[in-house]
Structures are given as C-alpha cells and as structure tokens.
Amino acid sequence: MNKNHYTRLLTLAMMTVGGLSACHHVTLEDRAEQEAREFTQRYCPTPVKDFQRTDSVTFDRQTHTFNYYYQLSGAADNPETIKKMRGKLRTALVNDLVGNTGSKTFKEQGYNFRYVFVSEKTKEILFEEELTKKDYQSAL
C-alpha cells in the first residue's frame, strides 16, 4: 500500500474513534430531567380540573426527586379543609403513584416523588408530601 492510502486509513480510523467517543449515553437522571422539563413546557400550567392545576414539574438530580407543583383554587383552596383531609390526600397520592405506569422505571430505581400544593389566593403552601420507595415499593 502506498503512503497516501495509509494516511486516509489512519484519518478514517481517528474519525471513527473520535465519533464513537463523542457519543453521549443518556442516563436515567438525564431522562428524568428531560421528561420533567418537556412536560412543563408542553402542558403547564394545565387547565383547572377538580379545583387544581399543575403548575410545573421539576427533577432534582442530587436527591433523585421529581417535584410536582400544583395550585389549588375554589373550594379546595382552604387550609382548614386541607388539614382535615391530610391523610386522605396522602393515600390518594400513593395510590396514584402506584398506578402510574409512566413512572415505573423511576420507581424501580427508588426515585422520590414530592408534591407541593399552593393556594391560588395566598400563594402559601397548603400541603406538601414526599413519597419514597418505602411508600410505593409493595406495589412494584
């Protein structure tokens, strides 16, 4: 083989190795962050349904926590009612998370899910709950 052919072959090999090393493998954290960002950009704020709407979803890489931010309005925007219903609200969140097949991969990896409900009137947090693997693991 002549010298020009070796140069082309070496260049092609270097480009191939460079191209392969430049590949970025998407981690589960990348996927979680992207899904949260895309949901918020595409759907939030959602229309009010049953006196609540989703304001945004974020993902915290350090704690592996999805954060769901909701705004309560109308009859649900009542601190005393929320206080009385705290146990039922938590149960409803657990049941919803257990039944959510879209989060299956994240649940299998032990990710956390935090829910923050804010008053439309006062902008204060009325209810906040974080669910961890121990809360939903029996359903996996």
Side-chain angles (χ1 to χ4, degrees):
M1 293 188 159
N2 63 30
K3 184 177 180 181
N4 196 18
H5 188 353
Y6 280 119
T7 303
R8 279 191 237 155
L9 187 59
L10 181 60
T11 301
L12 180 61
M14 287 174 40
M15 287 174 56
T16 301
V17 168
L20 291 175
S21 66
C23 290
H24 175 71
H25 296 289
V26 177
T27 65
L28 192 56
E29 288 88 358
D30 293 336
R31 181 178 149 200
E33 195 170 64
Q34 180 180 355
E35 286 184 17
R37 182 177 49 253
E38 287 177 358
F39 180 87
T40 298
Q41 289 171 347
R42 186 172 295 153
Y43 300 109
C44 294
T46 62
V48 175
K49 183 179 178 189
D50 298 327
F51 306 108
Q52 74 175 22
R53 76 170 191 208
T54 306
D55 279 336
S56 65
V57 179
T58 63
F59 178 72
D60 184 323
R61 290 171 92 75
Q62 289 183 326
T63 62
H64 289 158
T65 303
F66 282 96
N67 299 288
Y68 296 88
Y69 297 95
Y70 298 94
Q71 187 175 84
L72 297 177
S73 61
D77 189 355
N78 183 319
E80 293 305 314
T81 302
I82 297 298
K83 197 178 220 180
K84 290 177 187 173
M85 301 291 292
R86 204 170 183 81
K88 289 182 180 181
L89 292 171
R90 185 180 193 292
T91 299
L93 290 172
V94 171
N95 290 338
D96 187 57
L97 181 59
V98 166
N100 184 342
T101 57
S103 60
K104 183 177 189 265
T105 302
F106 302 113
K107 291 184 288 190
E108 288 172 345
Q109 295 302 310
Y111 280 36
N112 304 309
F113 301 83
R114 182 173 159 253
Y115 304 88
V116 180
F117 293 84
V118 176
S119 166
E120 179 183 47
K121 290 184 267 185
T122 66
K123 309 301 183 216
E124 292 180 16
I125 295 174
L126 297 175
F127 180 73
E128 186 173 5
E129 189 70 43
E130 185 167 334
L131 304 179
T132 64
K133 187 174 184 174
K134 68 179 175 68
D135 297 310
Y136 60 77
Q137 72 183 350
S138 62
L140 293 178

